[in-house]
Amino acid sequence: MHIESFAENGVFAPARIAAVLRTTKDEVARTVGLGRDALMRADRVQSPKTQKRLREMVEILNRVEPRFGSALIAYAWYRSEPLAGFGGLTAMQLVRDGHAAEVMDYIDAVDAGVHA
């Protein structure tokens, strides 16, 4: 799974993300903490906030996919696996709350053997 496969003309495309993850654009919106209109209206899809949230999710999925072997399993982990040291919150919850950088740091630390 490459970031480019989720973009059209340099813009993250919710329909492509939903297709790869076998879900809906509505679900993708909820997953990244945006309202339905953010992914349904062309002007909102291209907004910096929408693009930032989509990029954060895709970057996190790209980091963990090699460990799980598929985008779908990485997405399931992102949505449901509580992260150690984050009070039982999942990557999805942390991204929705604006803590994507901390999730990426956590993944990097796990990959480096700092966390088990």
Side-chain angles (χ1 to χ4, degrees):
M1 175 170 61
H2 298 285
I3 285 179
E4 301 80 34
S5 65
F6 293 113
E8 291 175 357
N9 301 319
V11 175
F12 283 98
R16 282 192 180 186
I17 293 170
V20 169
L21 300 175
R22 296 187 183 149
T23 190
T24 65
K25 289 194 300 186
D26 281 351
E27 189 59 32
V28 171
R30 282 191 293 276
T31 299
V32 296
L34 297 170
R36 181 179 189 274
D37 280 354
L39 300 188
M40 297 298 172
R41 293 183 26 207
D43 60 322
R44 297 273 314 272
V45 167
Q46 295 186 26
S47 79
K49 178 182 178 181
T50 299
Q51 288 296 300
K52 178 179 184 272
R53 289 283 179 88
L54 293 173
R55 175 176 291 283
E56 290 169 343
M57 181 181 74
V58 169
E59 286 180 357
I60 290 168
L61 293 177
N62 280 334
R63 286 182 188 211
V64 299
E65 183 191 11
R67 147 179 340 149
F68 297 115
S70 89
L72 295 177
I73 297 172
Y75 184 57
W77 170 88
Y78 175 86
R79 292 173 47 92
S80 63
E81 184 66 31
L83 303 184
F86 290 97
L89 297 176
T90 65
M92 177 183 76
Q93 292 167 314
L94 290 162
V95 169
R96 287 177 10 186
D97 290 342
H99 300 288
E102 289 91 333
V103 173
M104 288 187 247
D105 289 345
Y106 171 84
I107 293 165
D108 292 344
V110 168
D111 289 347
V114 175
H115 295 290

